[in-house]
Amino acid sequence: MRIAIMTTGGDCSGLNSVIRNLAVMGLIRGHKMFGILDGTDGLTRAGAPHFVEFDYNTLPVENARLAGSWLQNGHSHALNFQTAAKNGDTKPFNAKMKKSLEAMKLDALVIVGGNGTLSIAGNSHAIYGNIQVVGIPKTIDMDLPLTDTTIGFVTAVQQLASYCDQLLLTARSHHRWFVVQSMGRDVGALALNAGVACFADAILIPEIKFKPENLIKHIKKIEKEQGRDYGIIMVSEAIKMRGHSGRAADMISRELAKADIPHRTAFPEHTQRAGDTAACDRLFAARFAERALDALENGETYTMVRLDSGIVNTVAISEMFHAGEIAPDPYIKDVFVSNAFVSGDDPLLSAAIARGTYIGELK
Ligand code: F6P
């Protein structure tokens, strides 16, 4: 088969591991393996398609652990599903995509994508025609339903926790708190997981209402009862506070300032998408790649590989529209974007509470 790999959306660590696994496993099985350069951008730009054919050394083994995507994901402002729909350019965009994919004479496409790309892929028969499409879930946000993990999440948790570990040392030296703003888009999973891992004293996520006055009480209580005047307050970028605007960490900072609590804000930003891929993500990369190739050889299409209670299997992408919390995409008619929000019975919430962490007003 002629199989192409495409990475889309925001990058994360683990993409190269997926690419190398797919390329090498595909070559060993006798397939011709291609990589689309720059995602949908590379398929729709003038002179498209932009792609490479893999041999065993195209993505050297020593680079397979590195963050980013060796194939690149395209310019953030470039024409993609969302921008095309927003500008009313869907038809020419779809036509360019289709033409480029046809020019590559592909039998199959593996899309390593997140929430947006995969939910859109489930509705794009007009673009892909007879090409088999299988998705591999990747995102640091963990906002995809139907899978227990996504490539890049564990590494992002590691990166963010390590960042906080470093801050704790300077926090102690200066008797101050650090308000760390995590990524995660609309979902609190990254903040919750990294917050528990780095022993944060408070974790604020969009799924759980919190009271700033109770956060302040909590910090003052630690200072008084434990004699500790430093620590981490982990804040998801998605939290909202009535009557406040601006960045999440800045909103909390204003409350701490009012209460005279010495502190600084910190923004790890895209370092959460960087860093050597954690071994756990590399293991999922290997398992997901193998399963994606099995799926293609079995004739599957419009399915997504996933981790399902310890087992790697596939599920119809269309199932996403019936799972978890879904919201209509603001730009694309008839397309839904699914979000897997942190649920109230997440075991990490009870572990955090058991340890005395303030996680909001969860009853
Ligand atoms: O979806 C991944 C993500 O890193 C989010 O957590 C974050 O809100 C966003 O992308 C950042 O986007 P950009 O790379 O365009 O700044």
Side-chain angles (χ1 to χ4, degrees):
M1 290 170 83
R2 290 171 67 87
I3 303 173
I5 308 162
M6 175 164 79
T7 52
T8 58
D11 68 350
C12 61
S13 197
L15 295 176
N16 288 327
S17 203
V18 173
I19 294 166
R20 167 113 190 148
N21 272 293
L22 279 170
V24 170
M25 288 177 185
L27 289 170
I28 289 172
R29 292 180 187 210
H31 300 298
K32 285 205 166 290
M33 300 301 296
F34 303 90
I36 291 170
L37 299 169
D38 263 334
T40 56
D41 196 4
L43 288 176
T44 52
R45 218 183 291 151
H50 295 252
F51 68 92
V52 289
E53 178 167 355
F54 281 105
D55 62 27
Y56 287 99
N57 296 311
T58 310
L59 173 52
V61 63
E62 66 274 20
N63 292 344
R65 67 179 166 80
L66 297 177
S69 169
W70 185 83
L71 290 172
Q72 302 189 291
N73 297 25
H75 295 89
S76 53
H77 61 271
L79 194 60
N80 57 35
F81 289 102
Q82 253 111 353
T83 52
K86 203 171 165 185
N87 306 332
D89 288 340
T90 314
K91 273 200 182 149
F93 169 77
N94 287 356
K96 278 185 197 164
M97 288 277 291
K98 191 161 196 288
K99 193 169 162 215
S100 289
L101 291 168
E102 276 168 7
M104 289 179 70
K105 298 192 182 352
L106 295 178
D107 299 299
L109 178 64
V110 181
I111 302 178
V112 192
N115 188 328
T117 315
L118 292 183
S119 73
I120 290 165
N123 277 258
S124 302
H125 298 74
I127 295 175
Y128 301 114
N130 291 330
I131 296 173
Q132 284 173 254
V133 178
V134 167
I136 292 186
K138 65 88 207 167
T139 169
I140 66 163
D141 303 333
M142 260 308 288
D143 57 355
L144 270 157
L146 306 176
T147 181
D148 297 338
T149 198
T150 55
I151 298 294
F153 179 68
V154 176
T155 307
V157 171
Q158 178 68 55
Q159 285 289 109
L160 182 52
S162 302
Y163 179 96
C164 295
D165 294 345
Q166 305 307 314
L167 289 180
L168 270 174
L169 303 174
T170 173
R172 181 175 183 277
S173 298
H174 291 280
H175 306 271
R176 59 168 61 134
W177 297 82
F178 269 94
V179 184
V180 181
Q181 179 176 307
S182 83
M183 280 190 168
R185 211 175 282 275
D186 300 320
V187 172
L190 178 54
L192 175 62
N193 280 260
V196 171
C198 75
F199 290 85
D201 288 292
I203 304 171
L204 306 180
I205 60 175
E207 292 88 344
I208 303 174
K209 286 200 171 48
F210 63 92
K211 292 189 178 155
E213 62 272 27
N214 287 350
L215 170 67
I216 304 291
K217 267 189 213 155
H218 179 70
I219 300 297
K220 295 212 157 158
K221 192 165 176 244
I222 292 174
E223 293 191 344
K224 190 162 168 230
E225 292 179 2
Q226 300 180 21
R228 176 162 55 85
D229 54 6
Y230 66 93
I232 300 291
I233 299 169
M234 179 70 79
V235 178
S236 156
E237 66 175 343
I239 60 156
K240 304 250 177 326
M241 276 169 70
R242 195 169 294 141
H244 288 254
S245 58
R247 296 185 296 183
D250 292 334
M251 295 192 294
I252 298 303
S253 166
R254 287 196 285 270
E255 297 300 317
L256 298 182
K258 274 193 250 164
D260 285 329
I261 295 176
H263 69 281
R264 289 287 187 272
T265 50
F267 299 86
E269 296 279 9
H270 294 78
T271 61
Q272 293 159 93
R273 292 183 1 195
D276 277 3
T277 307
C280 191
D281 266 331
R282 301 185 206 183
L283 302 184
F284 285 122
R287 292 177 70 191
F288 283 9
E290 184 191 15
R291 192 65 189 81
L293 291 172
D294 288 348
L296 292 175
E297 289 174 359
N298 290 338
E300 281 183 34
T301 190
Y302 296 107
T303 59
M304 176 183 86
V305 178
R306 60 145 170 204
L307 182 69
D308 180 16
S309 304
I311 292 166
V312 173
N313 58 23
T314 56
V315 62
I317 292 175
S318 60
E319 285 288 307
M320 265 204 224
F321 308 122
H322 311 295
E325 300 281 340
I326 56 168
D329 188 290
Y331 304 122
I332 306 178
K333 198 173 160 292
D334 297 334
V335 165
F336 286 85
V337 172
S338 310
N339 290 305
F341 295 106
V342 172
S343 70
D345 60 359
D346 190 304
L348 280 186
L349 291 176
S350 72
I353 294 170
R355 217 166 60 188
T357 312
Y358 180 69
I359 55 154
E361 306 301 312
L362 190 71
K363 293 282 176 290

